[in-house]
Amino acid sequence: MKRGLVLGALIAVGYLSIVVAGFQAPPAGPTAASLAATKIEKVKDSLYVVTGSGVADTNAFSGGNTAVFITDAGVVLVDTKLPGWGPTILARIKTVTNKPVTTIINTHTHGDHTGSNEFFGTMVDSVVQENTKANMAKMDEFKGEKSRFLPKRTYKDKLTIGKGKDEVDLYYFGAGHTSGDSFVVFPALRTVHAGDMFAWKALPYIDTGNGGGAVAHPQTLAKATATIKNVDTVIPGHIPVTTWNDLKEYADFSQNFVDWARKEMNAGKTADQAAADYKLPDKYKGYVVTVNEQFASSKTNMQIVYDELKKK
């Protein structure tokens, strides 16, 4: 499952352009390229991931990684990709189980993670963190008649679904990528879906319009890694399945960037000057700095950190 880390950054370029466009004109449906790239891969017994697909070409992009957890009662999905991907997700599920989809969990609001909720209908249980439901309610895809596809249940800090080998724990530790990012833990399998709190090994996309915070991002990751126990495997938002140590390293990477920004601001440098001087520390092997010049780059992220620090 290990692929080049730069691949994750290339995926991000397509992802960000789609997210920030607000899904005003999403792809009509899966393309041949995205279908070929979107595979179902085994993570552990009863847990699979339908990969996010796509590289530099947005024609091959399908959205975030979808977790498929097979329980006695049915299938729990975590994230549903872009609009139009429901049939493909279901087809991939049917290659590993005949059980129905009974529950959908969305890690956050973005349409490349919630886009195919509607396909699975209103009879499926659906759960998100309470801030994410509020963010989703602002999306055109969940307004008016389509509000019936909003999640049925919310939680504030922690929620447990199921028990024993079928248990799923949802945690919220604070703002980061958005204001409502869930960490979805499968305790019996020692695995967590981190969503876009850990989208790739590069600077994070901080969606300030949906309550995200650059200063809070590493703090939230640190709370997650300090609180969640007995996990060794991580499903990120847009790169291949990786390790718990990688998530901890990513928290350090994000904090390092915030610390650099604070130091530069205290030294009297502008955000642009600090961004120009920032260099990726040698210890973060395989990382990249700039994912997208407008939305997730040293310049964009530095300005967000500066703006947040000035308010404190």
Side-chain angles (χ1 to χ4, degrees), residues 6 10 12 36 55-56 59-60 73 77 102 112 116 132 137 149 153 156 175 190 207 228 240 244 246 252 263 281:
V6 174
L10 292 173
V55 284
N59 188 51
L77 286 187
T102 56
D112 63 321
S116 292
T132 287
F149 298 113
R153 291 198 282 161
K156 184 176 179 64
R190 300 175 60 88
D207 183 0
I228 298 171
W244 183 249
D246 284 329
D252 292 340
K263 177 176 69 71

Side-chain angles (χ1 to χ4, degrees), residues 118-300:
E118 179 179 342
F119 171 81
F120 294 95
T122 59
M123 299 303 292
V124 173
D125 189 20
S126 48
V127 189
V128 295
Q129 202 276 336
E130 60 187 18
N131 296 334
T132 287
K133 183 171 182 177
N135 289 335
M136 291 171 72
K138 297 182 292 185
M139 298 168 63
D140 288 343
E141 291 78 9
F142 296 101
K143 287 181 179 177
E145 207 174 284
K146 293 196 174 184
S147 64
R148 68 186 188 276
F149 298 113
L150 282 167
K152 293 183 174 69
R153 291 198 282 161
T154 64
Y155 75 99
K156 184 176 179 64
D157 298 311
K158 184 183 177 184
L159 177 69
T160 294
I161 301 170
K163 58 185 179 179
K165 65 182 178 59
D166 293 341
E167 180 176 329
V168 182
D169 294 328
L170 281 67
Y171 292 90
Y172 175 70
F173 296 107
H177 175 57
T178 69
S179 63
D181 300 288
S182 288
F183 291 81
V184 184
V185 179
F186 309 96
L189 301 178
R190 300 175 60 88
T191 300
V192 59
H193 193 315
D196 282 359
M197 281 297 295
F198 181 23
W200 44 63
K201 291 192 174 184
L203 291 175
Y205 168 42
I206 304 299
D207 183 0
T208 56
N210 276 305
V215 175
H217 182 265
Q219 298 170 353
T220 298
L221 284 172
K223 289 176 186 175
T225 57
T227 304
I228 298 171
K229 304 297 182 183
N230 302 314
V231 166
D232 54 36
T233 303
V234 178
I235 301 172
H238 291 274
I239 59 173
V241 173
T242 187
T243 71
W244 183 249
N245 284 338
D246 284 329
L247 179 62
K248 292 173 69 174
E249 180 185 74
Y250 188 66
D252 292 340
F253 167 75
S254 183
Q255 186 63 61
N256 176 272
F257 183 81
V258 173
D259 291 343
W260 168 272
R262 183 181 285 108
K263 177 176 69 71
E264 296 293 280
M265 190 173 79
N266 290 340
K269 292 186 179 180
T270 67
D272 284 350
Q273 288 172 332
D277 290 343
Y278 177 74
K279 299 293 186 294
L280 186 69
D282 290 340
K283 68 178 181 177
Y284 297 111
K285 302 296 183 183
Y287 281 67
V288 294
V289 175
T290 298
V291 172
N292 180 288
E293 286 291 346
Q294 187 175 0
F295 304 117
S297 67
S298 58
K299 182 175 181 178
T300 301

Side-chain angles (χ1 to χ4, degrees), residues 3 29-41 50-55 57 59-62 81 85 88 92:
R3 303 175 195 141
T31 63
S34 58
L35 282 170
T38 305
K39 308 181 188 312
I40 188 163
E41 299 176 347
V50 181
T51 56
S53 82
V55 284
D57 184 3
N59 188 51
F61 185 74
S62 65
K81 302 190 180 296
W85 276 88
T88 303
R92 299 290 187 263

Side-chain angles (χ1 to χ4, degrees), residues 65-132:
N65 287 327
T66 297
V68 177
F69 182 45
I70 304 170
T71 72
D72 288 344
V75 174
V76 176
L77 286 187
V78 182
D79 290 344
T80 63
K81 302 190 180 296
L82 289 166
W85 276 88
T88 303
I89 293 171
L90 189 58
R92 299 290 187 263
I93 292 170
K94 286 183 176 179
T95 66
V96 295
T97 182
N98 290 322
K99 292 184 177 181
V101 174
T102 56
T103 305
I104 291 174
I105 300 166
N106 298 118
T107 58
H108 64 287
T109 189
H110 289 148
D112 63 321
H113 296 257
T114 63
S116 292
N117 283 23
E118 179 179 342
F119 171 81
F120 294 95
T122 59
M123 299 303 292
V124 173
D125 189 20
S126 48
V127 189
V128 295
Q129 202 276 336
E130 60 187 18
N131 296 334
T132 287

